[in-house]
Amino acid sequence: MLILEKEVKEFIEYSEDLGLDVIPLQQNFGHAEYILMHERYAYLRADARQLSQVDPTRLDAARDLFEELFDDMFSTHNSQYVHIGGDETRLLDCANCQIAWGDLGEEAGKSKIYVDYMKMIAEIVTERGKTPLIWADMILKHPDAIKDMPKNVIYIDWNYGWDFDRFGSDPRDLIKQYGLEFWGAPSIRSGPDDYHSNSWEKHLKNMADFIPEAKKRVIPAWC
């Protein structure tokens, strides 16, 4: 066993002894620089110059890669849940994306290619007996195809102290319309002080305002 694997398992075991569930996160769409920076994965880049996002039209190629990465992750993690990311995918208008839109138009097209990709990722983890968690920002921004997402997906509504409809849709409306499960994720560390956390009044107000609202409709999570 690699030392890193041993350390991860020891950390998870210690956390579980404290009654904590360690939920792993695997970025696989946006925030994928850690993969796309390598030339061997250039074929997955949505843009040749911006290495932040996987091309959502390369479904088969992406599935092959992330099945391998998720299997490696699950060899060290015990949680029933796995976070599949999906936030801040800002290149849904890439060249291949626009071709994939067809006659749908920009907004419906972005919604469809986003949902098609994240549906594929959700199916990978569901097939392995896990429950997928997904950041809610992009679904709230492009909700047209949300009805096509797997029903077991749990949406994590992250909030840094802003209005509930910051990303476009109000989660409460989508819960009512589609019967979705949302978890609330208020933050005690966020911009503009990501590294030094000086704005305690802002962050504590975020916790005080968001948690009571989240309790009405979701199970609070923490970030």
Side-chain angles (χ1 to χ4, degrees):
M1 181 186 298
L2 296 175
I3 293 178
L4 180 58
E5 292 179 347
K6 182 175 183 293
E7 291 175 345
V8 169
K9 288 188 174 183
E10 288 176 348
F11 173 79
I12 292 173
E13 182 178 355
Y14 177 77
S15 299
E16 290 177 344
D17 286 344
L18 297 175
L20 301 175
D21 185 9
V22 179
I23 300 176
L25 181 147
Q26 176 69 65
Q27 294 287 10
N28 54 76
F29 196 178
H31 298 295
E33 296 90 344
Y34 73 104
I35 292 174
L36 301 177
M37 64 185 290
H38 302 288
E39 285 302 315
R40 64 182 292 192
Y41 299 115
Y43 64 95
L44 283 174
R45 296 171 182 167
D47 186 281
R49 293 166 296 178
Q50 300 184 56
L51 307 183
S52 64
Q53 183 183 303
V54 172
D55 183 343
T57 69
R58 301 296 306 273
L59 289 175
D60 291 339
R63 173 183 279 275
D64 289 343
L65 172 61
F66 288 108
E67 282 186 329
E68 181 178 349
L69 292 181
F70 277 113
D71 283 340
D72 182 62
M73 172 186 285
F74 295 153
S75 70
T76 57
H77 288 77
N78 304 321
S79 178
Q80 172 61 34
Y81 302 101
V82 57
H83 205 313
I84 60 175
D87 62 320
E88 299 183 334
T89 52
R90 300 185 176 119
L91 301 178
L92 297 177
D93 59 353
C94 69
N96 287 340
C97 298
Q98 294 184 44
I99 294 172
W101 294 347
D103 298 327
L104 291 174
E106 182 172 351
E107 287 308 309
K110 286 181 177 180
S111 179
K112 184 177 188 307
I113 61 174
Y114 179 84
V115 166
D116 284 350
Y117 186 89
M118 293 309 297
K119 178 180 177 181
M120 177 271 291
I121 296 295
E123 288 172 348
I124 291 176
V125 303
T126 299
E127 289 166 358
R128 287 154 176 76
K130 303 291 186 178
T131 301
L133 314 180
I134 179 176
W135 293 122
D137 58 319
M138 298 307 296
I139 284 292
L140 294 174
K141 188 174 183 179
H142 305 288
D144 290 356
I146 195 171
K147 62 183 181 300
D148 297 323
M149 284 290 287
K151 302 306 181 186
N152 66 328
V153 171
I154 298 172
Y155 300 87
I156 310 299
D157 181 20
W158 54 285
N159 192 297
Y160 288 172
W162 45 57
D163 294 337
F164 295 125
D165 60 355
R166 173 186 173 89
F167 297 116
S169 302
D170 189 316
R172 293 168 293 189
D173 296 335
L174 295 185
I175 291 170
K176 184 182 299 184
Q177 183 175 357
Y178 297 109
L180 306 178
E181 182 173 356
F182 272 75
W183 289 3
S187 177
I188 59 172
R189 185 177 67 88
S190 64
D193 57 353
D194 284 345
Y195 298 102
H196 300 291
S197 295
N198 296 316
S199 304
W200 285 107
E201 183 176 355
K202 170 189 173 182
H203 302 314
L204 291 175
K205 185 177 187 303
N206 173 218
M207 304 288 282
D209 291 347
F210 189 62
I211 291 176
E213 175 60 31
K215 283 183 177 179
K216 297 176 185 177
R217 57 193 171 92
V218 296
I219 303 171
W222 300 89
C223 69

